[in-house]
Amino acid sequence: MPRAALFTITGVAIGVAAGALALATIVNLDVNGAPVSTTTATVIPAPVSQTAGEGAFDLGPASAIVAPSDARSVGEYLASVLRAATGLPLPIEDEGELILAIEPGHPEGGYDLEVTSESVRLAANDAAGLFAGVQTLRQLVPVSASGRSAWAIPATTISDHPRFAYRGAMLDVARHFFGVDDVKRYLDDIALLKLNVLHLHLTDDQGWRLEIDGWPRLTEHGGSTQVGGGGGGFYTQDDYRNIVAYAASRFITIVPEIDLPGHTNAALASYPELTCDGEAPALYEGIEVGFSSLCIDNERTYEFVADVLGQVAALTPGPWIHIGGDEAHSTPEADYLRFIERASGIAAATGKTVIGWHEMGRSDALPAGSVGEYWSFTTPEGDAAELARTFVDGGGRLVLAPADVAYLDMKYDESSPLGLLWAKGPTSVEEAFEWDPAEVVPGVGDARLLGIEAPLWTETIVTMADLESMAFPRIAAIAEIAWSPQPEQGRRDFSEFAPRLAAFGAHLDALGINYFRASGVAWR
Ligand code: TNX
């Protein structure tokens, strides 16, 4: 990781009302203009448009879900999450008041939701849009209180669609290993925020986490360690298929990353033939970066790369394969360029679109359309912006993961027990919220941005509770940036977001998701 830069950016809150984003409280008025009910009905990420109606739909013991065959699986998912939240039976029947429909005419990637006192109707062009709408609906249902028998969903009309197609989280399962059940839980966690990509950082110096046929020592030996000791772990190919399938059931695409040519100590320790001197290094459980490299002039290296990327691509239904390329500090520049040209060509030959960290933009020989993942700062340092632009010039797009706002492994504040500090010091929830992707890489606006990603590196993260407390609530801020439109005038305003975050916290409590109670939010 880069040297520590110990200063913080201060979010400048310009008091601009966030227009369509100001949804915090819906007050229903009677015919005389007197308030009849005050309900908090807030959604993260904020919908593109939401208007309040009159009254509320009472979800209760007689409520049933209608889901035609093309929407059946989303209907079952909706039933399962609402049953868990309310304890209501919520059967799926031919007639009922909670109606799901797949039909043309709705926003691309999004949905339309109409809640009246009579019914709830959610409609989208496809199942993915419907699933996004279900996440909105979940947040409109008040959090259960003991003894409650009806749940009043405030009447509202919502029309909604995403700003970016790629709305990602990244989980580093190499520094500390997280098993299949943990990954599934994280998939459920991020689905709530309409994120639709989980990038799995599967290999690093400290561990190789995916079984590769013909290379058993990668996982047997290379998978046996993690940061700080305590053993590692790995996914069999069936485990990985299981994760991919579970992700698909949440409309989430898995992006597998095999980090090359640096960050490869676990592979080198497993197969000395991949080193230049033929000697296997020891396994590594520290947190330094940049010391390992595949041997660039060794043909065996390319057999290895072809075998690994071929198998990873075959196991992965999504369109992308990530080959890392970051922090290869011990690979000489000419070697790096030769390696990236060959490895990215091998990756592209699998039929997938290649993704690489922005350092890969040093190469002028990337496959056309390769995607760059930018991890410098919102005010780029060094030549990071220029490297990112290489991908755009090559017909590709960028995924933005600026370390000073989107890195979930940064401490919240100096006193955070977990996390790192190298990215301009700690990152508050406010800082994670108040940035505009279109301003990060000069000259690269929305049209050339594929999306946004929030990485969670796990050098200091050991348990699922740790993981959730670093992700939540900052990941809610990142999800809003990825989904919701930028306010028409001015910047996002944390004071508008904070009340919605407080309401969202009540849902997190109900779901048992561990989150950091950041200051500046009136948590319930
Ligand atoms: C930098 S960001 C890394 C990772 C570390 C991370 C810790 C990037 C592409 N590389 O290897 O885990 O910092 O924050």
Side-chain angles (χ1 to χ4, degrees):
M1 66 208 77
R3 258 168 290 120
L6 288 178
F7 55 94
T8 52
I9 48 171
T10 311
V12 185
I14 311 170
V16 178
L21 299 182
L23 313 169
T25 303
I26 295 176
V27 180
N28 296 311
L29 304 180
D30 69 13
V31 283
N32 300 316
V36 287
S37 69
T38 304
T39 9
T40 304
T42 64
V43 181
I44 295 178
V48 172
S49 86
Q50 179 177 12
T51 52
E54 279 194 22
F57 175 79
D58 280 331
L59 188 68
S63 302
I65 295 171
V66 180
S69 56
D70 57 352
R72 181 82 192 188
S73 68
V74 181
E76 276 162 10
Y77 173 87
L78 173 66
S80 74
V81 294
L82 291 188
R83 284 174 195 147
T86 63
L88 293 169
L90 297 170
I92 301 181
E93 291 179 350
D94 292 340
E95 292 190 7
E97 308 77 35
L98 261 77
I99 302 148
L100 303 186
I102 294 180
E103 62 194 19
H106 297 285
E108 199 188 329
Y111 61 92
D112 284 299
L113 175 64
E114 179 89 45
V115 181
T116 68
S117 54
E118 308 292 309
S119 67
V120 174
R121 188 170 196 278
L122 174 61
N125 297 340
D126 55 24
L130 209 56
F131 187 80
V134 162
Q135 304 309 327
T136 296
L137 185 52
R138 286 173 81 179
Q139 292 185 43
L140 295 179
V141 175
V143 171
S144 199
S146 57
R148 192 196 281 271
S149 61
W151 284 257
I153 306 176
T156 187
T157 303
I158 293 177
S159 186
D160 199 13
H161 65 271
R163 177 174 178 183
F164 294 113
Y166 182 118
R167 303 179 301 279
M170 188 216 82
L171 182 60
D172 169 11
V173 294
R175 271 53 176 271
H176 279 102
F177 181 65
F178 289 85
V180 174
D181 288 345
D182 284 343
V183 175
K184 287 182 176 177
R185 181 176 165 111
Y186 200 45
L187 286 163
D188 280 330
D189 290 358
I190 67 173
L192 179 61
L193 289 162
K194 303 184 175 69
L195 297 181
N196 65 351
V197 172
L198 180 65
H199 164 186
L200 286 177
H201 183 77
L202 289 166
T203 65
D204 215 302
D205 292 318
Q206 299 86 346
W208 184 283
R209 306 301 179 203
L210 179 64
E211 176 185 50
I212 301 294
D213 290 342
W215 300 82
R217 277 181 59 79
L218 288 173
T219 40
E220 280 166 13
H221 186 64
S224 67
T225 43
Q226 59 184 357
V227 168
F234 65 90
Y235 308 123
T236 64
Q237 295 203 354
D238 274 345
D239 288 340
Y240 181 80
R241 286 190 193 95
N242 188 348
I243 290 170
V244 163
Y246 194 84
S249 76
R250 270 72 180 142
F251 297 87
I252 295 173
T253 300
I254 296 292
V255 173
E257 180 187 354
I258 303 296
D259 202 347
L260 306 168
H263 291 275
T264 45
N265 189 75
L268 301 172
S270 306
Y271 287 95
E273 64 206 84
L274 298 176
T275 67
C276 284
D277 62 7
E279 282 188 34
L283 291 169
Y284 182 69
E285 297 183 331
I287 66 165
E288 293 304 314
V289 298
F291 60 87
S292 58
S293 178
L294 291 173
C295 186
I296 305 303
D297 285 326
N298 179 354
E299 278 310 301
R300 190 72 179 135
T301 294
Y302 300 94
E303 292 168 17
F304 169 75
V305 169
D307 251 4
V308 171
L309 298 184
Q311 290 182 40
V312 170
L315 287 167
T316 304
W320 298 292
I321 191 164
H322 199 310
I323 61 168
D326 60 314
E327 299 176 320
H329 304 319
S330 62
T331 316
E333 181 69 6
D335 285 2
Y336 180 82
L337 296 176
R338 249 177 310 129
F339 177 82
I340 292 298
E341 179 168 359
R342 279 188 78 175
S344 63
I346 292 168
T350 67
K352 304 291 184 192
T353 296
V354 177
I355 307 185
W357 297 106
H358 68 246
E359 289 101 311
M360 266 175 46
R362 277 145 59 190
S363 169
D364 59 8
L366 296 174
S370 295
V371 170
E373 180 161 8
Y374 173 89
W375 63 278
S376 180
F377 301 138
T378 44
T379 304
E381 293 206 333
D383 52 7
E386 200 184 310
L387 297 178
R389 269 194 296 268
T390 309
F391 293 88
V392 174
D393 295 344
R397 291 198 281 171
L398 295 182
V399 171
L400 298 183
D404 56 341
V405 290
Y407 267 33
L408 303 174
D409 63 313
M410 291 301 133
K411 289 179 182 289
Y412 285 94
D413 56 44
E414 301 282 349
S415 70
S416 298
L418 304 171
L420 303 175
L421 275 176
W422 64 261
K424 298 194 173 179
T427 300
S428 68
V429 187
E430 185 169 351
E431 285 165 331
F433 183 70
E434 291 186 338
W435 61 286
D436 180 2
E439 292 177 356
V440 174
V441 178
V444 180
D446 282 30
R448 306 318 302 275
L449 295 176
L450 181 59
I452 309 298
E453 185 171 291
L456 184 41
W457 303 98
T458 57
E459 285 93 337
T460 66
I461 315 299
V462 183
T463 66
M464 197 61 204
D466 290 353
L467 192 165
E468 287 183 340
S469 75
M470 293 304 279
F472 289 87
R474 284 182 295 202
I475 196 168
I478 302 301
E480 177 138 326
I481 286 170
W483 178 281
S484 309
Q486 194 69 21
E488 272 172 28
Q489 325 151 24
R491 306 182 68 80
R492 291 181 198 276
D493 176 1
F494 188 70
S495 67
E496 180 278 319
F497 186 60
R500 287 188 289 123
L501 202 48
F504 186 68
H507 289 279
L508 297 179
D509 284 329
L511 290 165
I513 295 175
N514 190 32
Y515 63 98
F516 174 67
R517 283 167 174 72
S519 62
V521 179
W523 301 107
R524 297 177 183 172

